Structure formats: structure tokens, C-alpha cells
Amino acid sequence: MTDFKGMLAAHNISRRSFLKYCSALGAMMAVPATMTPRIAAALESDNRPPVIWMEFQSCTGDTESLLRANRPSVGELILDHLSLDYHETVMAAAGDQAEASKHATMEKFKGQYICIIEGSIPVGADGVYCTIAGQTAVDILKKVGGDAGLIIAVGSCSSYGGLPAAYPNPTGAVGVSELLPGKTVINLPGCPMNVDNLTGTIVHYLTFGSAPAMDRFGRPKFAYGKRIHDNCERRGHFDAGQYVENWGDHGHRQGWCLYKMGCKGPASFHNCPTLRWNEGLSWPVMAGHGCVGCSEPGFFDTMMPMYQRLPNVPGFGVEASALKIGGAIVGASAAVFATHGAVTMARNWKQVNQAKTETREMIKETTDAEK
Ligand code: SF4
């Protein structure tokens, strides 16, 4: 295995570019610039923690995000440098061979390996909706997650249940932290997660030996500490009262605010507007589609209907604060959800209410902190 310096050289990445990347990564993680050499040293060391990547109920979107590279960047090389010992979708091994590889890693690196989980875990019907090698996802998660040094839930499904947990949640889907009480689980929600946030989280762990600071939903603050609405390039149009009223209308062509088209940016926390996708090229709102709030607990249910302007939202414009609007969206969303009859499932309703209350509190905390 080539060492990390060798990998950089093989891809014609200069040391200057590498240090520039480390500096940018440090800025993203909100650590002082003086930490750049420490980040570089951690990446250049031969410490390659093994990774076991487990996929349960998901669409493989987070794996797609991991593999999205069209040319190797330093970030992708960092992920390549890790020892990905088990990943059902990308590993060459299959069957007994794959299981043997997983068990060998768990035994040899007990308490040290990184466990990454993609997809929700079904607990209904004793977990039979998702089994691998004769074991339920619940049992596999408890075993692999229980002995890991670091646990990262990638995507909304593994973080909070996501789409599989939407009403009527036929499989009883839940997120990772519900099944690993007492363990620190880092949630990187999003549909899918942005792989740069995964890189940042892993680099933080390699550099400082600990998880980054997290919010009440287990999300790293460096990635989920700011409201989408506050960093959106369409915000000026929101404040000026310029809104898209129909897809393809004059306002849409001019890049006006998508609030009336159902944008949930005022109630969502994620670094999408600043990090963007495809090497910083674009993100959904820039491309002309409103934010769907996919990184919030309770997504999908709390953020529907996707394209309707939500009812009972107070007037907005320069005089309305994002706090009022964000809170109204969360409340109105749940109200619409109720009218659709989804409340018949008690467990889901409880979760939606919980998510709604906590999101409101977070919106208030963030707004107070910004004053
Ligand atoms: S409502 Fe949506 S489109 Fe409009 S400024 Fe906020 S985040 Fe951007």
C-alpha cells in the first residue's frame, strides 16, 4: 500500500496544494489556522484506521456520494487512504469471504475501527425486513457498533430513520442512535450526506482523537450549525419580497426566492449553501429547487407537502425575522401532515411532534445566539 505522500505524488498534487486543502478543511471545521500543520501531520501518518461500512435500508445514495469523484482530489485520497475493510456495495469479496473480512477487522481492531452506517434499521417483526448473512440489521448493528471506536451515521435514514420511517413506517425503521444507547453516534444527515462533511469528521477524529462538537441532534456543528436560509444566495430576494410564484415564471428565471414554492430553508440547518456539491459547483436552491429540509429530524413527515406554500405562515419580507418564519413553517408543516390523516399512527406522531418542538427550540437558540 502506497503511503499518503506517495498517493499525493502519484496524482500530481503538490505539497502546497495539500496544505491549502488542510487549511480549508480546518476552516470548515472551525479550528484555528494554527492547527493546519497538525491536520497535515495526522493525514500523513501511517495511521489508517480500518472502516466497516454497513448498509441497511437505504437507496445507496450515500455510497454514491462517497464515489462521486470525477477526478481524485485530496479529499477523495483521504478516504481512499483509509482501509475500507468491509463495504458490501464496493468490495470485491462476497459471501463467507466478506463476512470473514469483517470479523477479522472487528477482532483485530476492537475499540479502534470506524463504523459507518448507511440506511435505517427496521425493528418491526423482530427485524426480519433486513437481514444479512442470516442476521438481522439490529443484531449486526449492535455487534459492530458496540465494538467500534467511532460510529458515524451517514444520511438521514441512518441518522433519524429518514424516508423508510415516513408514515406509515411499515418496517418500524429507526436511526442508529436509538439502538446504541450510551454510545456516541455522529449523525451526518442529508439525502444524501455531503461526503466533504464525512471527510471533515474523520479528519477531526484522526487529528484530535475525538468527535467534533455536536448539536442536540448529534450533528457536527461545523456542518449543521447555520441555517440554510441565512447563507442562501436568494436571501436578498426574500428580504425584498421577490418570490417565484410558478415554476418557470419571470421570478424563477431571475433567481428569486423559492419560499412560496415550498422551500424549507428557513427551518433547516446544513452547510449546503457554502459547501455545495460537485466540487462546490452548485446545490439544489442554486439549481432552482427549494430546500426540502432533508437534514432535519422527522424528515420526511415534518417537511411535507414538498411543493406547496405552507398555510398560515405570517407575512414575510424585510420586517419578518427568520425565527418567526422558521417556526411557522415547522408548525404549519405538522398541521398539514395532520390533515392528511397521518396522525393515526401514534408512534410516528409522537416522533413528529418531538422533532417539531426540538427544531423550533434550535431555531430560537440559533437566532438568539446571532443577535
Ligand atoms: S426561503 Fe429558501 S430560497 Fe428563499 S432565501 Fe430562504 S433558503 Fe433561499
Side-chain angles (χ1 to χ4, degrees):
M1 175 74 186
T2 317
D3 65 12
F4 191 67
K5 282 182 183 169
M7 289 174 74
L8 293 174
H11 289 88
N12 289 324
I13 295 172
S14 66
R15 178 147 187 85
R16 185 185 175 86
S17 300
F18 170 59
L19 289 176
K20 209 168 146 188
Y21 176 85
C22 292
S23 168
L25 201 59
M28 183 181 98
M29 294 188 294
V31 299
T34 50
M35 287 293 164
T36 300
R38 195 166 156 187
I39 294 171
L43 292 175
E44 287 175 328
S45 84
D46 287 334
N47 176 23
R48 292 168 52 237
V51 174
I52 297 178
W53 183 300
M54 297 186 294
E55 184 172 353
F56 299 130
Q57 290 192 136
S58 88
C59 65
T60 318
D62 303 292
T63 295
E64 292 286 348
S65 186
L66 177 77
L67 302 175
R68 87 210 187 288
N70 52 10
R71 64 179 169 81
S73 66
V74 181
E76 276 116 32
L77 291 179
I78 291 169
L79 297 175
D80 283 353
H81 187 53
L82 300 172
S83 177
L84 193 55
D85 288 6
Y86 182 90
H87 188 309
E88 288 147 19
T89 314
V90 301
M91 69 194 300
D96 291 340
Q97 203 185 1
E99 288 301 303
S101 167
K102 183 174 77 181
H103 290 299
T105 299
M106 287 172 61
E107 204 170 299
K108 189 171 173 192
F109 296 96
K110 188 172 181 182
Q112 297 171 44
Y113 62 86
I114 299 175
C115 171
I116 299 179
I117 305 106
E118 174 176 10
S120 65
I121 304 96
V123 299
D126 292 328
V128 297
Y129 296 112
C130 183
T131 63
I132 301 164
Q135 281 191 296
T136 66
V138 176
D139 289 341
I140 297 169
L141 174 67
K142 285 183 177 170
K143 203 170 284 181
V144 181
D147 287 341
L150 183 72
I151 306 168
I152 306 174
V154 292
S156 298
C157 297
S158 63
S159 297
Y160 312 121
L163 281 175
Y167 174 79
N169 192 357
T171 65
V174 299
V176 172
S177 54
E178 277 200 47
L179 294 170
L180 293 175
K183 299 285 286 185
T184 300
V185 177
I186 304 171
N187 291 324
L188 299 180
C191 198
M193 60 109 192
N194 191 316
V195 76
D196 291 332
N197 288 330
L198 175 62
T199 309
T201 302
I202 290 175
V203 170
H204 190 286
Y205 179 67
L206 295 181
T207 307
F208 305 106
S210 62
M214 293 188 279
D215 68 12
R216 66 172 66 198
F217 301 127
R219 304 179 294 193
K221 286 183 177 174
F222 74 79
Y224 300 89
K226 301 276 184 200
R227 198 190 338 251
I228 283 184
H229 186 65
D230 294 340
N231 286 311
C232 177
E233 63 266 34
R234 294 177 189 246
R235 176 62 187 265
H237 295 294
F238 175 91
D239 290 341
Q242 294 174 316
Y243 303 100
V244 177
E245 304 282 347
N246 289 294
W247 299 117
D249 68 7
H250 173 75
H252 199 212
R253 293 197 298 279
Q254 294 298 314
W256 289 0
C257 174
L258 294 157
Y259 178 77
K260 290 187 177 179
M261 304 308 286
C263 181
K264 309 300 186 298
S268 303
F269 293 77
H270 206 166
N271 55 2
C272 292
T274 48
L275 194 59
R276 300 180 183 171
W277 296 80
N278 298 325
E279 298 177 30
L281 185 70
S282 186
W283 66 294
V285 169
M286 188 182 227
H289 190 287
C291 165
V292 299
C294 67
S295 57
E296 296 308 305
F299 172 79
F300 188 81
D301 290 337
T302 51
M303 295 295 174
M304 294 300 116
M306 188 176 287
Y307 294 111
Q308 281 181 29
R309 180 187 170 186
L310 296 162
N312 306 321
V313 175
F316 34 88
V318 286
E319 76 286 354
S321 72
L323 167 62
K324 282 183 199 161
I325 293 157
I329 282 179
V330 176
S333 158
V336 172
F337 179 64
T339 61
H340 286 197
V343 288
T344 50
M345 194 164 201
R347 186 167 187 275
N348 257 29
W349 181 235
K350 196 175 159 201
Q351 286 176 333
V352 167
N353 265 331
Q354 174 81 5
K356 184 181 70 174
T357 304
E358 292 187 348
T359 302
R360 271 207 194 107
E361 285 171 7
M362 184 158 170
I363 288 168
K364 184 169 185 330
E365 276 171 18
T366 306
T367 305
D368 288 346
E370 285 167 357
K371 277 180 187 165

